[in-house]
Amino acid sequence: MAFPYKKILILGATSGIGLILAERLINHGCFVIGVGRRKENLDAFIQKHGEDKTAVMQFDISKLGGIPKVTKTHPDLDCVFINSGIQRRSVFSEPESIDMDVIVEEFTTNYISYLALTKEFLPFFQSKKDTPTSFIFTSSGLAFAPILRCSNYCATKAALHHWTLCLREDLKDTNIRVIEIFPPMVQTELHDAKHQPDIVDGGNKGMPIEEFADETMSKLLAGEDQIPVGMSNIAFNSWEQQRQQQFHKMAEMMKKNDL
């Protein structure tokens, strides 16, 4: 199934992966509603692309009580792309370096907010029974295999991936598709010194963002539901496939036993 969606809400659309994929989707002919925290970035986004192709909305994804009522102003919305995320150093062998407020913020932003937003939009998509709709989530290759320096970040992405597998299985016989993107390390501000001063020249480390966007869009437009990119392909195409086979076997067994 190819990419049929025409109006896409993208959370985290004002920088990095969210911005470049928003622009690629606009070029593909989609109308994009860009959501982000920084007003100056939102203003630049709509000024660049125009109100005939875009709309913008200022919103902090971590504020779970303030999810905007987008469907009232955009009843033809057919895709919600949740891309927001933060990464912080969390090495628990150095407990004095751990700020639990930062740990909670990272978990809320990278995982809980995805659940809250999906819960908010699911009834709307369920009501559009004859219309193809979808959720797209930006996960990480670190959902498959963690690294030491950002253990909490890896845990948030593993949690998101497990939940996404279950959501996709739950919705497999409906009009709602669930798509998950697994970036490798990409050259974005996620690794800037402002947030992770232990990484030297972090914004220039990893896969070039244009290269990332090329591979992601190719798979997205081809209709793939799980999109590993760059180095993430290695884990996805090996042990992750075996793990998912076990997941589907377990799901089938639970279904047969009415559990």
Short mmCIF file of all heavy atoms in Angstrom, two decimals, residues 11 16 18 26-27 51-52 66 70-71 96 125 152 164 182 212-213 223 234 237 240 243:
data_model
loop_
_atom_site.label_atom_id
_atom_site.label_comp_id
_atom_site.label_asym_id
_atom_site.label_seq_id
_atom_site.Cartn_x
_atom_site.Cartn_y
_atom_site.Cartn_z
N LEU A 11 4.02 16.73 14.57
CA LEU A 11 4.48 17.28 15.84
C LEU A 11 6.00 17.18 15.90
O LEU A 11 6.57 16.12 15.69
CB LEU A 11 3.83 16.54 17.00
CG LEU A 11 2.32 16.74 17.05
CD1 LEU A 11 1.59 15.47 16.65
CD2 LEU A 11 1.86 17.23 18.42
N GLY A 16 15.31 19.64 12.52
CA GLY A 16 15.81 18.29 12.40
C GLY A 16 14.99 17.37 11.51
O GLY A 16 14.53 17.75 10.43
N GLY A 18 11.96 16.16 11.87
CA GLY A 18 10.59 16.59 11.64
C GLY A 18 10.49 17.63 10.54
O GLY A 18 9.60 17.56 9.68
N ILE A 26 5.51 18.03 1.89
CA ILE A 26 4.92 19.17 1.17
C ILE A 26 5.26 19.06 -0.31
O ILE A 26 4.39 19.23 -1.19
CB ILE A 26 5.42 20.50 1.76
CG1 ILE A 26 4.82 20.71 3.16
CG2 ILE A 26 5.06 21.67 0.84
CD1 ILE A 26 5.47 21.86 3.93
N ASN A 27 6.51 18.76 -0.60
CA ASN A 27 6.93 18.60 -2.00
C ASN A 27 6.21 17.44 -2.68
O ASN A 27 6.04 17.44 -3.91
CB ASN A 27 8.44 18.40 -2.07
CG ASN A 27 9.21 19.64 -1.67
OD1 ASN A 27 8.69 20.75 -1.73
ND2 ASN A 27 10.45 19.47 -1.25
N GLU A 51 0.56 29.59 3.11
CA GLU A 51 -0.65 29.11 3.76
C GLU A 51 -1.49 28.20 2.87
O GLU A 51 -2.43 27.56 3.35
CB GLU A 51 -1.49 30.30 4.24
CG GLU A 51 -0.80 31.11 5.33
CD GLU A 51 -1.67 32.25 5.86
OE1 GLU A 51 -2.82 32.37 5.39
OE2 GLU A 51 -1.19 32.99 6.73
N ASP A 52 -1.18 28.12 1.59
CA ASP A 52 -1.90 27.19 0.72
C ASP A 52 -1.38 25.76 0.86
O ASP A 52 -2.06 24.81 0.44
CB ASP A 52 -1.79 27.63 -0.75
CG ASP A 52 -0.33 27.72 -1.21
OD1 ASP A 52 0.55 28.08 -0.39
OD2 ASP A 52 -0.08 27.43 -2.40
N GLY A 66 -2.95 19.93 27.35
CA GLY A 66 -3.31 20.99 26.41
C GLY A 66 -3.30 20.58 24.97
O GLY A 66 -3.03 21.40 24.08
N VAL A 70 -7.38 19.88 16.93
CA VAL A 70 -7.06 20.11 15.52
C VAL A 70 -8.19 19.67 14.60
O VAL A 70 -8.45 20.27 13.55
CB VAL A 70 -5.76 19.37 15.16
CG1 VAL A 70 -5.41 19.57 13.69
CG2 VAL A 70 -4.62 19.82 16.04
N THR A 71 -8.89 18.62 14.97
CA THR A 71 -9.89 18.04 14.07
C THR A 71 -11.08 18.96 13.82
O THR A 71 -11.78 18.79 12.83
CB THR A 71 -10.38 16.69 14.62
OG1 THR A 71 -10.90 16.88 15.95
CG2 THR A 71 -9.25 15.69 14.67
N GLU A 96 25.23 10.96 41.03
CA GLU A 96 25.25 12.40 41.32
C GLU A 96 24.95 13.23 40.07
O GLU A 96 24.57 14.41 40.18
CB GLU A 96 26.60 12.81 41.91
CG GLU A 96 27.78 12.77 40.96
CD GLU A 96 28.34 11.37 40.70
OE1 GLU A 96 27.84 10.40 41.32
OE2 GLU A 96 29.27 11.24 39.87
N PHE A 125 -10.09 9.12 13.97
CA PHE A 125 -9.72 8.23 12.87
C PHE A 125 -10.66 7.03 12.78
O PHE A 125 -11.01 6.58 11.68
CB PHE A 125 -8.28 7.75 13.03
CG PHE A 125 -7.24 8.77 12.62
CD1 PHE A 125 -5.89 8.54 12.88
CD2 PHE A 125 -7.58 9.94 11.96
CE1 PHE A 125 -4.92 9.45 12.50
CE2 PHE A 125 -6.63 10.86 11.58
CZ PHE A 125 -5.29 10.63 11.85
N ASN A 152 18.38 6.16 29.53
CA ASN A 152 16.96 6.47 29.67
C ASN A 152 16.32 6.73 28.30
O ASN A 152 15.21 6.29 28.02
CB ASN A 152 16.75 7.68 30.58
CG ASN A 152 15.28 7.90 30.90
OD1 ASN A 152 14.62 7.04 31.46
ND2 ASN A 152 14.77 9.07 30.53
N THR A 164 4.09 0.27 20.06
CA THR A 164 3.71 0.42 18.65
C THR A 164 3.39 -0.94 18.02
O THR A 164 2.44 -1.07 17.24
CB THR A 164 4.82 1.13 17.87
OG1 THR A 164 5.03 2.43 18.43
CG2 THR A 164 4.45 1.29 16.40
N PHE A 182 12.71 4.18 12.26
CA PHE A 182 13.83 3.90 13.15
C PHE A 182 15.09 4.60 12.63
O PHE A 182 15.87 4.01 11.87
CB PHE A 182 14.10 2.40 13.22
CG PHE A 182 12.91 1.57 13.63
CD1 PHE A 182 12.11 0.96 12.66
CD2 PHE A 182 12.59 1.39 14.96
CE1 PHE A 182 11.02 0.19 13.02
CE2 PHE A 182 11.50 0.62 15.33
CZ PHE A 182 10.71 0.02 14.36
N PHE A 212 19.36 10.68 5.11
CA PHE A 212 18.32 10.06 5.94
C PHE A 212 16.94 10.27 5.33
O PHE A 212 16.13 9.34 5.23
CB PHE A 212 18.34 10.65 7.36
CG PHE A 212 17.10 10.37 8.15
CD1 PHE A 212 16.92 9.16 8.78
CD2 PHE A 212 16.07 11.32 8.22
CE1 PHE A 212 15.76 8.88 9.49
CE2 PHE A 212 14.92 11.06 8.93
CZ PHE A 212 14.75 9.83 9.56
N ALA A 213 16.66 11.50 4.91
CA ALA A 213 15.35 11.81 4.33
C ALA A 213 15.10 11.05 3.04
O ALA A 213 13.97 10.60 2.78
CB ALA A 213 15.22 13.31 4.10
N GLY A 223 4.99 2.47 1.00
CA GLY A 223 3.94 1.89 1.82
C GLY A 223 4.43 0.98 2.93
O GLY A 223 3.65 0.18 3.47
N ILE A 234 20.60 -2.98 10.14
CA ILE A 234 21.35 -4.17 10.56
C ILE A 234 20.58 -4.93 11.64
O ILE A 234 20.32 -6.13 11.52
CB ILE A 234 22.75 -3.78 11.06
CG1 ILE A 234 23.56 -3.14 9.92
CG2 ILE A 234 23.47 -5.00 11.63
CD1 ILE A 234 24.89 -2.55 10.37
N ASN A 237 16.90 -6.15 10.43
CA ASN A 237 16.86 -7.28 9.50
C ASN A 237 17.47 -8.56 10.06
O ASN A 237 17.51 -9.58 9.37
CB ASN A 237 17.56 -6.90 8.19
CG ASN A 237 16.79 -5.85 7.42
OD1 ASN A 237 15.58 -5.89 7.33
ND2 ASN A 237 17.51 -4.87 6.87
N GLU A 240 15.83 -8.50 15.27
CA GLU A 240 14.51 -7.90 15.46
C GLU A 240 13.43 -8.69 14.72
O GLU A 240 12.30 -8.82 15.20
CB GLU A 240 14.51 -6.44 15.01
CG GLU A 240 13.17 -5.74 15.08
CD GLU A 240 12.55 -5.69 16.47
OE1 GLU A 240 13.29 -5.85 17.48
OE2 GLU A 240 11.32 -5.47 16.57
N ARG A 243 12.56 -11.60 16.88
CA ARG A 243 11.78 -11.18 18.05
C ARG A 243 10.32 -10.91 17.66
O ARG A 243 9.39 -11.27 18.39
CB ARG A 243 12.41 -9.92 18.66
CG ARG A 243 11.97 -9.64 20.09
CD ARG A 243 12.78 -8.49 20.66
NE ARG A 243 12.43 -7.26 20.00
CZ ARG A 243 11.41 -6.48 20.37
NH1 ARG A 243 10.63 -6.84 21.36
NH2 ARG A 243 11.15 -5.37 19.73
#
